Amino acid sequence: MSFGHRTGPSGVAAMNPIVLVVTGHVTRDAVPALCTELETLLNEPRSAALDPAAPVDCDVGGAERPDLALVEVVARLALVARRTGRQLRLRRVGPELQGLLDLVGLADVVALEGSEERVPGPY
């Protein structure tokens, strides 16, 4: 499992959204590290230059064998994003993960790239 964020030329960085990339097989042990990585991205100086209401993108297209551990990652990352007033938006969601998100009710909490923005419901 690996994760990281998009990098690019410094002059363009402020225009790029905040992106966390999740790849490989995700286990429950990875949850704290992924949350810390997102918190770090949200606290970077370039994040302050972005629209404070802009969503946080999480690319899960490289995640292998979507299971409930990945669903837990999505739920926890959504909470981290919400603490800063942002919404988590998932990129490249496969049908297996989409089915799991629907099953546990998280499809109404996170936005999916390419679909209408979903408004998070109350917890």
Side-chain angles (χ1 to χ4, degrees):
M1 190 247 354
S2 63
F3 46 91
H5 54 86
R6 181 183 352 191
T7 59
S10 60
V12 180
M15 295 172 33
N16 291 337
I18 299 169
V19 180
L20 179 70
V21 179
V22 179
T23 61
H25 181 66
V26 178
T27 64
R28 293 189 75 205
D29 294 337
V31 174
L34 286 165
C35 289
T36 299
E37 177 70 16
L38 181 56
E39 288 169 348
T40 300
L41 288 170
L42 290 167
N43 291 318
E44 286 181 346
R46 75 168 195 91
S47 297
L50 298 173
D51 177 2
V56 175
D57 289 342
C58 182
D59 186 336
V60 293
E64 298 171 0
R65 300 186 309 267
D67 57 13
L68 290 178
L70 183 56
V71 170
E72 181 177 354
V73 165
V74 169
R76 296 276 299 275
L77 292 175
L79 287 173
V80 170
R82 285 189 75 173
R83 284 188 204 118
T84 63
R86 297 176 185 268
Q87 183 180 26
L88 186 70
R89 178 173 58 192
L90 298 179
R91 292 182 176 180
R92 301 188 321 136
V93 177
E96 292 114 356
L97 179 56
Q98 176 65 54
L100 287 170
L101 293 172
D102 288 339
L103 181 68
V104 300
L106 279 178
D108 294 331
V109 176
V110 298
L112 303 176
E113 183 179 66
S115 65
E116 285 187 26
E117 293 291 319
R118 297 178 187 228
V119 176
Y123 287 109

